[in-house]
Amino acid sequence: MNSVMFTVFNNVKDAANQSSYLDENSSALVAGLFSGFATACLSTPTDWIKIQAQISLSKHNNNTKQPARHDVQSILKHSIMKDGKFHPVLFTRTLYRGHLANLGREGVFTMVYLGLYDRISDAAKERRRHSNDNNADDQSLSVGDVVLISSFTGAFAWICNYPFDTVKTVMQAAVVSPSTQHQHERVTLKYAIRSIYNSGGWKAFFRGAGSSTLRAMLVTSSRMLAYEKTIQMLR
């Protein structure tokens, strides 16, 4: 997913920069948004499988008669097969449950994370270029600069997208049972938002944001550091 995220971002940014309608700041934000949309197409199914495995294990601990389904094959077989037959519509509808919320989650996150990082890092490189008298061999960011900028943009992006993540999790945690596919629990976007708000107001959308943001800072900084160093080695 990281390769998709960076590839789409760079390609869309290059195309947007050639447009007369967008400046560099807008191009970076638009590129981040489309990059997030592309990433969401991959992360929605994998997140759903992960959440189903986690809640299945929890139910197994509370009810020993119900076997835990924590591998991909058993989760998919239980969720998308009915009467021993594969249902393509059920497959898509099930694996992409919460996809709209995840589009918002990934779109907002990558727009802020990569969009801001691109603009701040370019400004830092420009300042470094002037301070080194246009020395072309010393324009790359230091490790400290990359970690600092990416940690800030990653944390800010995660706080911005956290309500979408909360809604997505509620939608994907719904119980799936193909034997009762016309009656099984399907949490809509509207219902998820309403239930979260009723459980604690707007603050309920940010439950667990503190520890999750610290994790996001570690992930985004290490990801960006690896990306920047890889680009430097390939040049």
Side-chain angles (χ1 to χ4, degrees):
M1 280 186 280
N2 288 334
S3 60
V4 171
M5 179 180 67
F6 285 114
T7 300
V8 173
F9 176 81
N10 289 324
N11 288 337
V12 174
K13 180 190 170 187
D14 290 342
N17 282 334
Q18 298 175 6
S19 170
S20 58
Y21 299 101
L22 299 174
D23 57 19
E24 290 185 346
N25 294 330
S26 299
S27 296
L29 294 175
V30 169
L33 182 65
F34 278 92
S35 175
F37 288 164
T39 304
C41 295
L42 300 177
S43 65
T44 298
T46 55
D47 280 356
W48 178 83
I49 293 173
K50 181 201 71 170
I51 291 174
Q52 289 297 313
Q54 290 173 331
I55 64 176
S56 175
L57 183 60
S58 174
K59 290 177 183 178
H60 173 68
N61 292 333
N62 295 329
N63 181 12
T64 56
K65 294 182 179 180
Q66 182 175 350
R69 297 181 299 274
H70 41 71
D71 61 280
V72 176
Q73 182 177 357
S74 60
I75 291 173
L76 292 179
K77 182 178 180 181
H78 173 78
S79 305
I80 66 177
M81 301 288 289
K82 184 180 180 183
D83 300 327
K85 297 180 180 180
F86 172 73
H87 290 258
V89 176
L90 184 61
F91 173 83
T92 304
R93 187 175 63 183
T94 300
L95 261 67
Y96 278 87
R97 174 173 296 178
H99 187 52
L100 184 59
N102 196 39
L103 283 172
R105 167 182 175 259
E106 295 283 10
V108 170
F109 175 79
T110 313
M111 178 179 65
V112 178
Y113 170 47
L114 291 185
L116 283 184
Y117 179 86
D118 180 81
R119 305 317 306 146
I120 296 175
S121 61
D122 276 0
K125 291 175 182 177
E126 186 68 22
R127 185 171 60 252
R128 188 184 183 96
R129 184 181 300 115
H130 288 303
S131 65
N132 288 306
D133 298 325
N134 296 321
N135 184 0
D137 295 330
D138 194 20
Q139 295 175 12
S140 60
L141 295 176
S142 66
V143 172
D145 288 337
V146 174
V147 171
L148 181 62
I149 298 172
S150 59
S151 294
F152 166 73
T153 58
F156 184 52
W158 188 249
I159 293 173
C160 290
N161 91 322
Y162 201 80
F164 293 97
D165 183 70
T166 303
V167 173
K168 177 195 73 74
T169 301
V170 170
M171 296 180 69
Q172 291 189 327
V175 178
V176 176
S177 177
S179 60
T180 57
Q181 62 174 333
H182 297 296
Q183 302 175 3
H184 73 275
E185 216 180 318
R186 289 202 65 201
V187 178
T188 63
L189 180 65
K190 182 178 179 180
Y191 176 85
I193 294 174
R194 183 186 301 166
S195 63
I196 295 170
Y197 183 82
N198 290 340
S199 69
W202 66 268
K203 293 182 179 179
F205 290 92
F206 291 92
R207 286 173 180 163
S211 58
S212 187
T213 301
L214 291 176
R215 171 182 173 272
M217 292 174 66
L218 295 174
V219 172
T220 53
S221 59
S222 59
R223 173 195 294 161
M224 190 59 70
L225 184 60
Y227 173 77
E228 290 284 9
K229 293 305 176 182
T230 301
I231 293 298
Q232 290 178 20
M233 289 188 296
L234 294 176
R235 285 175 178 171

